[in-house]
Amino acid sequence: MADFRKWLLAFAVVALLLGMGTSASAQTQNAAFACTANAGVPPIVRAEGITELVGDLILNCTGGTFTPAGQNIPQSNVQIFLNTNVTSRTYAGNLSEAILTIDEPFPGTETPNPPTAGAATGSATTQLGCQAINSANCQITSIGAGVGAAGSYNGSAGHYNVFQGMQNGPSQVVWLGVPIDAPGSAGTRVIRITNVRANACQLGVSSTLIPTQIQMFIAVNGSQQVTINAPQQVVAFIQPGLIATNKSGGFVQCVNINGNVLSSSAAIGQGGTLAVTATEGFASSFKVRNFAQLFVGGTSSTAPYGTAPSSPGLQNVLGYPYNTESGFVSTTPGISPNGTATGAIGLADTGTQIAFTVSNIGAGVSIFAPPYVQLFPATGGAATGLAVLVGSSFSPPAVANPAPVAVTVTGNTAAVTYEVWYSNPNVIESMSLAITVAAISNTGQNLPATGTSQVAISFAPVSTVQTTSTTAPIPRFCSTAAPKTFFSIAACTCDLLFPFVTNQAGFDTGIALANTSLDPFGTSPQTGPVTLNYYGSTTGGGAAPPAAKSQAVPAGQELIFTLSGGGNFGIAATPGFEGYIIAVAQFQYCHGFAFISDVGAQKLAEGYLAIQLDEPFNLGLLPLTRTGQLGESQAH
């Protein structure tokens, strides 16, 4: 009996070991279906952008047991979340342009044609899409081949490998009923999520040395258990995409501004061309709409001025760095809004657009801008791109400096927008725009109006649509441009120096200042006051008198006064003063004469012409004097 118990115990131990061996073997053959997420190389996106393309998220999946031939592949629901709004374009039924692919489907004809190694060995060569919005749209019957070109995701009829998602909230996209087959132990199943656009403007720029990050979270659930390792990934870094600078200028009302572009009757004028510059915050911040427009190797087939971009083509190679405003663009049956590339999902509406807005433009002022402008490397060198004025009938001529075109002024604002047609994503580029200010002087009508104008430089279009939309443009941007001083127009003055005047030691000084804007030459008559600025001292070392402002002196009349007794137009006496006077007249043409004598002019007298402090009209040069005014200097 004891021996029997010993044998029974031995049989139990053997059975246990056999059972453990069987379980271990089964566990080895049926390892858990698990996926590891990674985001590759997250791109830099523009802080001003609302619809920025983030990097792809990729799941590399292993394990599990693939579905036997003839059975439906288990379906799963895949959902992503961003830490900001998802702004991928939506279509009817809340369908999103965001795409999920399985096993890296490559097209038969690749655009562009990357190296052969770009297509993973054994991957599908046909892209076939469906809308993953329920459990019936994308059902796949397994052919039991596991992973490889002959597998269930080969793009043949009924074997989908491209799945269109659905917007499921401000920051979420979901793919419902996606047939995800476990790869088994023989290979790796690759799941890619692409065409996700994010609102970078909503997050803003970091105030620290660490850039703001756009993060993507992924969850998978459904009819089978799928473990996700590292479900949270950084898919983009946010940096400012535009650096704006400008040169400001000052003009005077009584001189034509940039007269050479106006009528021939106005031969003399002030130069009115000012530069405004937009520079990329980082390389490839300025993007073309479609890959065909990119400069390749620093040149273009249509360099240096380009031709109008042709109809947009496909961008149908997954993971290829197109560096354009468009994402994955394909006419894959089942997911495109229509059967043409122009309506395919993932296609942006335009290339990057940059707006230059001049505000507070006074009456009588015209604005001109070139029909196109070249892009140059910020560090110097030959042209690498081209931006074209939106709305212009542009046909690139073989000239580097095209004639400017008039810009419509609405209210007191003029805006021009340029779209990037060609660019090189491998250099930081700048576009320097020559904006021309023009006006005909008519001071009698107070034209051009005096004041200061500002310019703002920003990406365009600026939009308040911060979430996904079926109609809002892609790309679109938030407004972050602060207007900067651009140019000012000041009232004209005539500035005269009387270098010595006195009412001391028995002497007195008389002054006559004539408003000579009335003449037989057709000059517009001007009327304005005169301000007398006294520099020196009074008898006994007292301070100089304060500045005195006369009443308005009409054209053709004179302001006449003496230090001892004052004069007309409200000028009071300044007895005991000795020093010099600078007279500032609020009209353009003035001339002065000073007369010094003993009191009553009984014994001696001396007179002189006032010194003109303004720049004479010298071939229309800008003022080179301290007054900043253009005047006339005749025999002074």
Side-chain angles (χ1 to χ4, degrees), residues 515-526 555-557 588-591 632:
N515 179 349
T516 63
S517 62
L518 185 63
D519 59 34
F521 310 116
T523 302
S524 297
Q526 303 171 32
Q557 296 192 31
Q588 183 181 7
Y589 300 115
C590 69
H591 295 275
E632 61 179 2

Side-chain angles (χ1 to χ4, degrees), residues 226-601:
V226 180
T227 302
I228 305 296
N229 298 316
Q232 175 182 341
Q233 294 290 317
V234 175
V235 291
F237 297 101
I238 299 175
Q239 290 288 299
L242 178 65
I243 300 172
T245 57
N246 70 280
K247 292 184 178 180
S248 57
F251 309 108
V252 290
Q253 184 187 49
C254 55
V255 180
N256 295 332
I257 303 175
N258 208 53
N260 61 314
V261 301
L262 302 173
S263 65
S264 58
S265 63
I268 298 176
Q270 307 166 89
T273 299
L274 302 171
V276 290
T277 301
T279 301
E280 291 182 300
F282 53 88
S284 80
S285 176
F286 296 171
K287 305 177 188 292
V288 298
R289 184 189 187 198
N290 186 258
F291 180 80
Q293 299 164 248
L294 283 172
F295 276 59
V296 180
T299 62
S300 166
S301 60
T302 53
Y305 302 108
T307 59
S310 57
S311 297
L314 304 179
Q315 296 186 175
N316 55 1
V317 178
L318 292 163
Y320 189 87
Y322 286 101
N323 291 307
T324 69
E325 292 289 3
S326 299
F328 172 76
V329 180
S330 171
T331 53
T332 299
I335 61 173
S336 297
N338 57 51
T340 63
T342 55
I345 62 173
L347 183 66
D349 296 303
T350 65
T352 304
Q353 294 186 345
I354 302 169
F356 301 82
T357 303
V358 184
S359 58
N360 197 34
I361 300 172
V365 176
S366 297
I367 300 293
F368 296 82
Y372 61 89
V373 60
Q374 291 177 277
L375 276 60
F376 289 89
T379 55
T384 53
L386 183 74
V388 177
L389 181 64
V390 174
S392 66
S393 54
F394 171 71
S395 178
V399 294
N401 298 302
V405 296
V407 180
T408 300
V409 178
T410 302
N412 64 355
T413 301
V416 289
T417 301
Y418 291 81
E419 180 179 343
V420 176
W421 274 16
Y422 299 96
S423 72
N424 185 334
N426 300 314
V427 297
I428 295 178
E429 296 173 308
S430 289
M431 55 180 295
S432 188
L433 184 68
I435 294 182
T436 298
V437 182
I440 292 289
S441 173
N442 186 346
T443 54
Q445 298 295 319
N446 194 34
L447 296 175
T450 59
T452 301
S453 299
Q454 294 80 34
V455 64
I457 307 171
S458 65
F459 287 118
V462 171
S463 176
T464 58
V465 181
Q466 299 284 321
T467 57
T468 186
S469 172
T470 59
T471 57
I474 290 178
R476 60 185 184 271
F477 303 87
C478 59
S479 179
T480 59
K484 300 179 181 179
T485 299
F486 191 31
F487 66 89
S488 60
I489 299 177
C492 284
T493 63
C494 180
D495 304 285
L496 299 177
L497 169 64
F498 297 89
F500 180 71
V501 297
T502 182
N503 185 219
Q504 293 182 9
F507 290 92
D508 197 4
T509 303
I511 289 177
L513 191 153
N515 179 349
T516 63
S517 62
L518 185 63
D519 59 34
F521 310 116
T523 302
S524 297
Q526 303 171 32
T527 298
V530 177
T531 300
L532 302 175
N533 300 278
Y534 299 91
Y535 302 93
S537 61
T538 55
T539 302
K549 186 175 183 179
S550 76
Q551 300 163 1
V553 179
Q557 296 192 31
E558 298 83 23
L559 173 67
I560 302 173
F561 64 95
T562 63
L563 297 184
S564 61
N568 59 358
F569 297 108
I571 294 298
T574 54
F577 172 69
E578 182 175 284
Y580 64 92
I581 295 174
I582 294 179
V584 179
Q586 299 301 310
F587 41 85
Q588 183 181 7
Y589 300 115
C590 69
H591 295 275
F593 178 77
F595 183 81
I596 303 175
S597 71
D598 58 323
V599 176

Side-chain angles (χ1 to χ4, degrees), residues 135-149:
S135 60
N137 280 16
C138 302
Q139 191 175 56
I140 295 179
T141 300
S142 175
I143 59 176
V147 176

Side-chain angles (χ1 to χ4, degrees), residues 4 20 90 127 133 150 171 181 201 284 304 333 344 511 520 575 603 605 630 635:
F4 175 75
M20 291 178 63
T90 51
Q127 295 174 336
I133 58 176
S171 63
D181 199 4
C201 183
S284 80
I511 289 177
K603 298 179 180 179
L630 288 174

